[in-house]
Amino acid sequence: MAPSIPSLRIPQQVLRLVLVFGVATVGFIIARSALVPDTFGDLGHYRALAVDSIAARGIKYAGHQRCAVCHRSIDQRRLEGHHGGLSCEVCHGPAMDHVNAPGSVKPAAPRERGLCPICHSYDAARPSGFPQIDPVAHNPRAPCVECHDPHEPEPPVAPEECSACHGQIARQKAVSHHAILPCTVCHETPDEHKIAPKDSAPTKPVTRDFCGGCHAEEAPGSERVPRVDLGDHGDGYPCWQCHYPHYPETGGP
């Protein structure tokens, strides 16, 4: 007598899972056929008729090249200044109507304080060196254009404090053990750096001996300053590989 072959039973949970996936697949197919536009995919992964819809809306932005045709001297000043990378319409808004009817349609010319802080109010996410201000404390209530020419935005007076452009570093240093040290203790900063920061960079310490001027065991100064033996501390590595100078907290005892 041949041995009986046990019947194959599919677990109920597997059947339920297959049923759920089947219903979901059918629902997706029905929804796709009902909701996806007919022209979707004809010219790519979007609705082909969108091209006609966009074309029918007309052109609003003219481009800075069109502005330069009539405002050549202003455009040249902009290109040579710190706003050289900005299009005119970033501040003045869409200008195609002005181009088509320059005598009757004038572009916006913002003169209130609200526009400039959109880019220049302090934001830790902005790169170090980007000019940033606190709109509440910086010349309160005065329009920015009273002191800064938007087309050539050089500061009327060179900033005295490094925090004008290095806000994030200044705020971090303010709560560290180096809070009382002026930036110029560690960085030699030429006057040209305040006017053209990219053309004249400040110096940075390059050797362990610089930090040792304050922190070596034999260094002069207050006893409250942490001291180390430069001969064996850190195995000869530069100090800033373990200690961030603007927040020089120690990693251990």
Side-chain angles (χ1 to χ4, degrees), residues 20 28 32 43 55 63 67 84 93 105 112 116 127 146 153 162 167 180 188 203 205 220 229 236:
V20 169
F28 174 77
R32 188 179 187 278
L43 299 176
C67 302
V105 179
E112 67 281 355
C116 301
E146 283 190 2
C162 302
I180 62 174
E188 294 182 6
T203 63
D229 181 357

Side-chain angles (χ1 to χ4, degrees), residues 2 22 33 43 55 77 83 88 92 108 113 121-122 135 144 171 174 182 192 195 199 206 217 229 232:
S33 61
L43 299 176
R77 286 165 52 204
H83 280 175
C88 308
H92 294 288
R113 284 179 64 88
S121 61
Y122 174 73
C144 304
R171 284 163 171 77
E192 293 80 6
I195 303 300
D199 297 333
V206 295
E217 290 181 340
D229 181 357
D232 59 11

Side-chain angles (χ1 to χ4, degrees), residues 1 7 17 41 96 111 125 144 172 193 225 249 252-253:
M1 182 176 179
S7 60
L17 187 61
M96 182 55 75
R111 299 190 179 281
C144 304
Q172 189 172 37
H193 175 69
V225 176
E249 308 307 313

Side-chain angles (χ1 to χ4, degrees), residues 30-171:
I30 295 174
R32 188 179 187 278
S33 61
L35 300 177
V36 175
D38 295 336
T39 59
F40 181 83
D42 290 353
L43 299 176
H45 198 71
Y46 60 89
R47 183 173 63 92
L49 286 178
V51 177
D52 298 330
S53 301
I54 294 172
R57 298 171 67 179
I59 298 175
K60 293 185 177 180
Y61 288 88
H64 70 272
Q65 296 89 347
R66 301 291 295 272
C67 302
V69 172
C70 297
H71 305 280
R72 188 171 301 278
S73 61
I74 293 177
D75 187 63
Q76 188 62 35
R77 286 165 52 204
R78 178 187 65 82
L79 292 173
E80 294 175 352
H82 294 306
H83 280 175
L86 295 182
S87 173
C88 308
E89 290 163 303
V90 169
C91 298
H92 294 288
M96 182 55 75
D97 290 343
H98 172 65
V99 171
N100 293 331
S104 58
V105 179
K106 299 297 182 183
R111 299 190 179 281
E112 67 281 355
R113 284 179 64 88
L115 180 66
C116 301
I118 292 176
C119 293
H120 291 288
S121 61
Y122 174 73
D123 185 342
R126 292 194 172 104
S128 180
F130 187 86
Q132 302 180 54
I133 54 100
D134 180 354
V136 177
H138 183 78
N139 292 338
R141 296 188 299 276
C144 304
V145 295
E146 283 190 2
C147 299
H148 306 277
D149 179 354
H151 301 119
E152 193 177 11
E154 299 290 343
V157 178
E160 293 295 330
E161 299 295 332
C162 302
S163 58
C165 295
H166 303 280
Q168 173 66 12
I169 292 176
R171 284 163 171 77

Side-chain angles (χ1 to χ4, degrees), residues 13-29:
Q13 58 268 31
V14 175
L15 293 175
R16 295 191 187 100
L17 187 61
V18 171
L19 180 61
V20 169
F21 274 105
V23 172
T25 302
V26 172
F28 174 77
I29 295 173

